[in-house]
Amino acid sequence: MCGIVGILGKEPVAFDVVEALKRLEYRGYDSAGVATIEGGEIRRTRAEGKLKNLDGKLREAPHQGRVGIGHTRWATHGRPTENNAHPHATDRLAVVHNGIIENFRELREELTAKGAVFVSQTDTEVVAHLVTDLMKSGLAPREAVAAALPRLHGAFALGFIFGGEDNLLIGARRGAPLAVGYGEGEMYLGSDALALAPFTDRIAYLEEGDWVVLTRDGAQYFDETNTPVTRKPQKSQAGAYLVDKGNHRHFMLKEIYEQPEVVGRTLAHYVDMSAGKVQLPFDAPVDWTKLTRLSITACGTAFLAGQIGKYWFERLAKLPVEIDIASEFRYRDAPLDDGQLMIVVSQSGETADTLATLRYAKSCGNKILSVVNVPTSTIARESDAVALTLAGPEIGVASTKAFTCQLTVLASLAIAAGRARGVLSAEREAELINALIATPGLIADALKLEEPIAALSHSLAKASDVLYLGRGTSYPLAMEGALKLKEISYIHAEGYAAGELKHGPIALIDETLPVIVLAPRDHWFEKTVSNVQEVAARGGEIVLVGPQGASEACAVATLADVTMPEVPPDFSAIVYAVPVQLIAYHTAVVMGKDVDQPRNLAKSVTVE
Ligand code: G6P
């Protein structure tokens, strides 16, 4: 959840550390800090809030150290104050940490009894004191880290520097990602390859349980039994992607506009367009014909993509689907049958609850197929097969292009399953493929609605609550719309199945409540029209997102009509995602909110 960086450089490193941290700000941004070794001593600079505060402090008093670590924080233990910001330090070492040390209370008591004085409320500080304690008993830094790691419980990644050691950086990985970058006489440590992209594209990944000792000459890796192991650097693609906003005001808007391209790219990976067939780029880990049930799990927006996928697998492949959010699934003791399939959906591939559910399903004998955006992620590596979303790095905290790419992959998988199970004829498959092939162009058409949506957002920005309605695949999309709006504008919003309206939420409707209705011309269109009339009859302010003629079909007064292009019915959600995203984006912009880094959220949630 937090971001970690370490650099062993030839010149003072503090500003390079901050540069790398900027690329990790998506992981958390409530405080940040840097520590370097200067004249043999540990020197730290930390600041509350965003990185620019830290940057400002460093400019006033630059560090000279050539070895340093840095951290951008998303608070788990202790408030986001400067005092709780990382790096944490003793007179011997400084440490940065991502994740949670579960047994920190016991360790804190034990170390306090031995005389350690704790000055923060964080779990991280116990790591600093534990390693220091071991060093005081006579161990060298690397021996002390090796001895400390087995005592730490939880999922985390760590980076250390030591007083008096100008050529030493140690990293460790237990459940949270860590990458090592190779430069010319310089070495790097980072939460992901993206952070290190300005410096090097030669990246090695620590395996689960590994720890690594870096000097300017290279890296020595050890596994959790302290046995030396080899982890070969590979050429990373992270630098190939432009990590700037281009000519857009926010990353989120840039990423919304990238969708025609990335959905097309993803589609090309799964579909033989000329043959009108799905062509999976991996061997399916199960025989689709033998499956009696499919499980899907994910969190947040990825979960809502999975919800839409459920409709497709059931309709197109006649495969019963059970879907649950990962934080529930992992603790539900759900019986899962040997040999069945679980599909895990995750942009980052690092979400802690999703990973834990994957491991639970595996322990029940399920095969795992993951739909992920980061091919080197832990979820990808622990899966039996990986279906990549080729969205490229997503920087905006609110997921947009990853979502539509997830939908694209899930649609392709559902078609593959339907074909294999004899539910879909070749003709029907070709028809569905044509519908999918049309989506990038239709997304581009939908993007042309930005101006009217921006205008309508001025009304939405005044609301204190917003209701989203939809049926069929537009129901999970309505929930995604509500989630997007909550995330970045902080307006309370709910997504409801339009047919469920009369069982409760209809009581909320009055002239102050905007009701956004997602009404593509699909199997559920006529029913949705009736629901629009129910809302209108109670004075609700309707925003109708539907095709040409939808407004006439509803025959009611609306606050606004968002007139969408005509979209083939089966995969309308991929295209209707665009107005949903633009509505949230523009409402937040009108309200002056921090769209790319909304309060309290993090892009990648590696704690439960
Ligand atoms: C966080 C992000 C969401 C994301 C969810 C799951 O809450 O803010 O945008 O949907 O995690 O993340 P994942 O990387 O597993 O898709």
Side-chain angles (χ1 to χ4, degrees), residues 299-302 345-351 354 397-399 406 484 487 601-605:
C299 299
T301 290
V345 189
S346 175
Q347 187 283 125
S348 62
E350 302 293 348
T351 303
T354 310
V397 164
S399 186
Q406 286 159 354
K484 284 279 91 68
E487 282 182 310
L601 297 180
K603 182 76 183 153
S604 177
V605 182

XYZ file of all heavy atoms in Angstrom, residues 299-302 345-351 354 397-399 406 484 487 601-605, ligand 1:
173
model
N -11.803 -7.278 -5.639
C -12.184 -6.168 -4.750
C -12.474 -4.923 -5.599
O -11.926 -4.766 -6.682
C -11.026 -5.794 -3.821
S -10.505 -7.099 -2.735
N -13.279 -4.045 -5.061
C -13.490 -2.720 -5.653
C -14.024 -2.801 -7.074
O -14.917 -3.589 -7.402
N -13.447 -1.974 -7.914
C -13.867 -1.913 -9.316
C -13.666 -3.263 -10.014
O -14.493 -3.673 -10.837
C -13.063 -0.798 -10.019
O -13.549 0.449 -9.502
C -13.226 -0.811 -11.510
N -12.599 -3.958 -9.676
C -12.340 -5.266 -10.296
C -13.475 -6.241 -9.949
O -13.865 -7.084 -10.763
C -11.002 -5.813 -9.823
N -9.791 -11.379 -10.364
C -9.639 -10.167 -11.177
C -8.926 -9.102 -10.338
O -9.361 -8.796 -9.221
C -11.014 -9.617 -11.638
C -10.826 -8.489 -12.663
C -11.885 -10.723 -12.234
N -7.842 -8.554 -10.863
C -7.109 -7.532 -10.106
C -6.253 -6.695 -11.044
O -5.467 -7.250 -11.817
C -6.215 -8.203 -9.058
O -5.424 -7.249 -8.412
N -6.412 -5.399 -10.968
C -5.554 -4.522 -11.763
C -4.097 -4.699 -11.329
O -3.248 -5.033 -12.128
C -6.005 -3.063 -11.578
C -5.324 -2.045 -12.473
C -3.925 -1.673 -12.031
O -2.966 -1.781 -12.820
N -3.762 -1.281 -10.795
N -3.850 -4.486 -10.041
C -2.465 -4.490 -9.543
C -1.880 -5.889 -9.449
O -0.680 -6.070 -9.552
C -2.428 -3.856 -8.155
O -3.211 -4.635 -7.255
N -2.741 -6.864 -9.187
C -2.248 -8.216 -8.933
C -1.625 -8.350 -7.554
O -0.941 -9.336 -7.262
N -1.847 -7.356 -6.698
C -1.226 -7.386 -5.367
C -2.242 -7.230 -4.239
O -1.845 -7.205 -3.071
C -0.179 -6.277 -5.227
C 0.959 -6.315 -6.241
C 1.882 -7.522 -6.078
O 1.789 -8.224 -5.053
O 2.676 -7.768 -7.007
N -3.509 -7.079 -4.536
C -4.498 -6.814 -3.484
C -4.524 -7.969 -2.481
O -4.729 -9.131 -2.855
C -5.876 -6.587 -4.121
O -5.743 -5.500 -5.038
C -6.929 -6.261 -3.092
N -7.609 -10.335 -2.219
C -7.773 -11.116 -3.452
C -6.741 -12.244 -3.481
O -7.057 -13.395 -3.813
C -7.623 -10.187 -4.680
O -8.461 -9.052 -4.476
C -8.020 -10.883 -5.953
N -6.025 6.952 -9.199
C -6.471 5.986 -8.181
C -7.799 5.355 -8.593
O -8.019 4.158 -8.405
C -6.540 6.662 -6.790
C -7.359 5.825 -5.818
C -5.131 6.836 -6.248
N -8.690 6.147 -9.159
C -9.976 5.592 -9.592
C -9.750 4.816 -10.894
O -9.310 5.371 -11.894
C -10.973 6.723 -9.808
N -10.048 3.544 -10.849
C -9.759 2.666 -11.987
C -10.711 2.957 -13.150
O -11.923 3.060 -12.964
C -9.909 1.223 -11.525
O -9.512 0.349 -12.537
N -10.597 -5.229 -18.230
C -11.047 -6.441 -17.513
C -12.328 -6.975 -18.157
O -12.482 -8.176 -18.369
C -11.306 -6.116 -16.034
C -10.028 -5.932 -15.228
C -10.229 -5.144 -13.935
O -11.309 -4.615 -13.668
N -9.175 -5.076 -13.125
N -17.391 5.178 -8.387
C -16.531 6.225 -8.976
C -16.869 7.591 -8.380
O -15.994 8.352 -8.015
C -16.722 6.329 -10.486
C -16.102 5.300 -11.374
C -14.632 5.472 -11.697
C -13.756 4.762 -10.711
N -13.753 3.360 -10.663
N -15.758 7.844 -4.761
C -14.296 7.861 -4.647
C -13.699 9.241 -4.883
O -12.803 9.654 -4.159
C -13.670 6.908 -5.685
C -13.728 5.447 -5.341
C -13.052 4.591 -6.407
O -13.362 4.756 -7.603
O -12.214 3.759 -6.047
N -7.769 7.120 -0.038
C -7.710 5.937 -0.903
C -6.278 5.617 -1.290
O -5.391 6.448 -1.199
C -8.520 6.170 -2.176
C -10.014 6.386 -1.988
C -10.685 6.594 -3.331
C -10.641 5.196 -1.280
N -6.094 4.396 -1.750
C -4.809 4.003 -2.312
C -5.066 3.152 -3.535
O -6.090 2.489 -3.627
C -3.995 3.220 -1.293
N -4.136 3.189 -4.450
C -4.319 2.467 -5.712
C -4.219 0.964 -5.505
O -4.942 0.196 -6.090
C -3.247 2.940 -6.689
C -3.341 2.325 -8.068
C -4.468 2.948 -8.843
C -4.655 2.325 -10.209
N -6.047 2.457 -10.646
N -3.266 0.607 -4.683
C -3.021 -0.819 -4.520
C -3.097 -1.128 -3.034
O -2.379 -0.537 -2.240
C -1.631 -1.118 -5.083
O -1.316 -2.459 -4.893
N -4.002 -2.028 -2.660
C -4.287 -2.236 -1.240
C -3.674 -3.558 -0.799
O -4.306 -4.609 -0.907
C -5.795 -2.183 -0.966
C -6.087 -2.355 0.508
C -6.364 -0.856 -1.447
C -8.404 -0.186 -4.482
C -8.467 0.760 -5.664
C -9.603 0.354 -6.592
C -9.427 -1.090 -7.018
C -9.309 -2.032 -5.820
C -8.874 -3.426 -6.251
O -9.512 -0.013 -3.681
O -8.665 2.099 -5.218
O -9.607 1.192 -7.748
O -10.525 -1.473 -7.810
O -8.325 -1.555 -4.914
O -7.565 -3.347 -6.763
P -6.968 -4.363 -7.780
O -5.573 -3.874 -8.025
O -6.986 -5.719 -7.127
O -7.803 -4.341 -9.013
